[in-house]
Amino acid sequence: MLSALHGIGGILLNPENPSESEMILPAKARDDVDWQSTNRILLENEDFRGFIELVSTYYQTGRVRSRY
């Protein structure tokens, strides 16, 4: 469902030998942002809010900073 709605891919991870892991659904690149979903997740997930703040800082200033 997430793949169809948002282009999210999936990997079947082999924890014993990660190089033998398989991509079962390729991710799909998008040029636009689904702002409705982004705003909903921001309200529900503090970690995601922190991630978006880091991305915003980079986009506005070009400066990379650590989350911590």
Side-chain angles (χ1 to χ4, degrees):
M1 185 169 92
L2 291 174
S3 179
L5 289 173
H6 305 289
I8 294 172
I11 298 172
L12 182 58
L13 184 62
N14 180 340
E16 295 172 7
N17 191 351
S19 64
E20 293 182 1
S21 297
E22 297 178 52
M23 182 177 10
I24 56 175
L25 287 171
K28 298 174 187 158
R30 293 179 60 177
D31 293 329
D32 57 333
V33 175
D34 178 353
W35 289 112
Q36 183 176 0
S37 293
T38 300
N39 287 329
R40 180 182 53 79
I41 295 169
L42 282 171
L43 295 173
E44 297 174 6
N45 187 314
E46 190 63 32
D47 290 333
F48 187 67
R49 177 180 294 280
F51 169 74
I52 293 298
E53 288 173 0
L54 290 172
V55 171
S56 176
T57 297
Y58 175 75
Y59 182 74
Q60 293 174 7
T61 67
R63 187 174 57 109
V64 177
R65 64 180 177 91
S66 171
R67 178 177 189 169
Y68 304 103

